Amino acid sequence: MRIFHIPALLLAWGATSGLMAQEPHVGFGINLGFPTGDFRSKSYPPTTTVLATQTDGYDLGLGGQFTVSFPVDPTFAMRMNFNGMSTNGTNTASGYSDLHLRHELFAIGGDMQIFLEGGAYRHKGTYLFVGASADFERFDRSNSDNFYNWWGDTATDTTRKSRLGGTFGLGHSFGYGGGPHFNLEISFHKTLTGNDLMKKEPPSTDFMKTSFGWVF
């Protein structure tokens, strides 16, 4: 599928860079996602089954990530990134009971990192990053009161989607020695393909993301 071409090239590049780099850096982090745009709030006109305007709204998302950064020179590194996030929301329509929403995202991608202070070999200091990912998404809608036991529930409507996503952001690794560094990132994620509402595809999964963890 075409969606995998860009992430696959980035991952291959990262693997090649790893052969030249003696010390790849492994990172673990916790992600907080803040939905924006249509992912935060999207309204739909009345239909033959729901005779009122519907609004989908998602709240704060929580997830984690695993990264491997391969330094190429003092200012540049390639990074493999595996991350996921879960976000809950609500569908509201005047005169109707609210529906529970849940969005699950798992992404495999690659990033280019530019270290502004030349700290790529030790993964320290401030850096910019940009990349692409293969996003595997699951959208659930349910009127079930058993909020944490939807899987297999006949009252749940599920849509699965594989799409291409893009991310850019700013990060900083704190620490001066050769040991683990506390890491903080702020980034923006945007869905790049498969979001045509005229084709009844899900809206873009766009969100600001804050990540914090450790890089070794």
Side-chain angles (χ1 to χ4, degrees):
M1 296 176 62
R2 185 172 297 177
I3 184 175
F4 298 107
H5 288 181
I6 295 177
L9 290 174
L10 289 171
L11 289 173
W13 190 4
T16 302
S17 301
L19 296 177
M20 298 182 292
Q22 296 182 0
E23 295 185 3
H25 296 278
V26 176
F28 301 89
I30 296 175
N31 300 332
L32 295 178
F34 304 87
T36 63
D38 288 346
F39 189 45
R40 181 176 183 272
S41 180
K42 174 65 178 177
S43 295
Y44 302 89
T47 66
T48 56
T49 56
V50 180
L51 304 178
T53 299
Q54 300 180 63
T55 300
D56 286 352
Y58 285 91
D59 304 317
L60 177 70
L62 177 64
Q65 69 179 20
F66 169 76
T67 61
V68 183
S69 179
F70 300 95
V72 178
D73 62 39
T75 60
F76 183 74
M78 292 297 301
R79 181 173 73 172
M80 294 191 297
N81 193 330
F82 306 86
N83 66 86
M85 188 175 72
S86 177
T87 310
N88 294 324
T90 306
N91 170 278
T92 59
S94 179
Y96 295 84
S97 299
D98 292 349
L99 297 179
H100 301 295
L101 306 179
R102 176 179 292 163
H103 175 261
E104 306 281 350
L105 169 68
F106 176 70
I108 303 174
D111 304 322
M112 296 180 291
Q113 296 175 287
I114 300 175
F115 286 79
L116 304 181
E117 302 165 11
Y121 287 137
R122 295 185 178 181
H123 203 288
K124 70 174 186 177
T126 302
Y127 58 91
L128 305 173
F129 61 95
V130 60
S133 62
D135 295 346
F136 304 94
E137 299 177 79
R138 171 172 173 151
F139 297 84
D140 287 319
R141 304 167 68 89
S142 177
N143 57 14
S144 173
D145 292 331
N146 193 357
F147 186 76
Y148 293 102
N149 189 29
W150 290 0
W151 311 110
D153 192 336
T154 56
T156 300
D157 177 37
T158 298
T159 299
R160 292 179 174 85
K161 192 71 176 176
S162 298
R163 308 193 282 188
L164 179 67
T167 301
F168 66 90
L170 174 72
H172 189 89
S173 284
F174 299 86
Y176 301 95
H181 294 161
F182 178 72
N183 187 245
L184 176 65
E185 293 183 352
I186 299 176
S187 61
F188 178 72
H189 173 278
K190 182 173 182 58
T191 299
L192 302 178
T193 63
N195 55 352
D196 189 343
L197 297 181
M198 297 299 293
K199 297 180 180 179
K200 297 184 177 180
E201 295 177 320
S204 294
T205 304
D206 299 343
F207 54 89
M208 295 295 299
K209 183 172 70 174
T210 299
S211 305
F212 51 93
W214 296 92
V215 176
F216 299 87

